Amino acid sequence: MSRVRRPFGAAVALVVCAAAVLTSGASGPAAAAGGDSRAVARQTPDEPSLTGSAKLKREPGDDVHFSFNAHGFAEKARGTFYVSHHMGKDWGGYFKGRIDCLLTGGPVAVATGVVTESHFEATPGLPQVGDLKGKRFGFTVLDDGKKDRLGYSWALDGLPEKSVGPCQGSAPFETLEKGNFKVQHWMPSREAEATKETKD
């Protein structure tokens, strides 16, 4: 019997990607000599983001799609996610929801979201997915050009069942057949964090 649990996941070690990272300064390049520093400032991102849609690389007939539109830092993140999975014509469904946490580190993003809607067809002899509404799931994306990867928090469970904490997900072990994800990295500067702590 295969150790890999299907249809949703493969057995991989779950990693907690919630980070308490100190950065050395504000994100974005410094203004070049003689350049317009105000123009550079306008181009500097002021929040992280994870966007894009993709189909996972699976056997023919096993169609899995993920889509993200997430913006904002840590638990102030906002946006949406969508996941669908169909195996042939007999089994499949989708779930979608709102993003509630987002952290980035270079080309890697970890996001979590709470399901607001889900629907899967009940087919005898095939995996049964219950109502997922209200559960929080995690997603990890590696933005590596044409070699993007994706992971999800139910990798060890086979099916999406167990909620996770904010900004927790698995290693990005899945490869893509088509599509693209874009990770925009951003972290608050040490100065900003220090100012926030002083005010608190």
Side-chain angles (χ1 to χ4, degrees), residues 26-32 40-41 43-45:
S27 301
V40 173
Q43 296 172 9
T44 302

Side-chain angles (χ1 to χ4, degrees), residues 65-85:
H65 296 261
F66 285 78
S67 181
F68 304 103
N69 184 17
H71 303 264
F73 178 66
E75 293 181 285
K76 292 184 178 180
R78 64 205 181 278
T80 59
F81 69 91
Y82 179 89
V83 181
S84 68
H85 191 173

Side-chain angles (χ1 to χ4, degrees), residues 4-9 55-56 58-65 83-94 119-129 152 154 158-160:
V4 176
R5 298 184 180 182
R6 291 293 185 186
F8 267 95
K55 177 183 179 183
L56 300 188
R58 294 285 184 84
E59 296 296 323
D62 188 4
D63 298 322
V64 187
H65 296 261
V83 181
S84 68
H85 191 173
H86 292 83
M87 297 184 69
K89 298 180 179 180
D90 298 323
W91 184 92
Y94 72 90
H119 177 76
F120 281 86
E121 296 291 340
T123 305
L126 292 176
Q128 303 298 308
V129 179
Y152 36 81
W154 59 93
L159 292 172

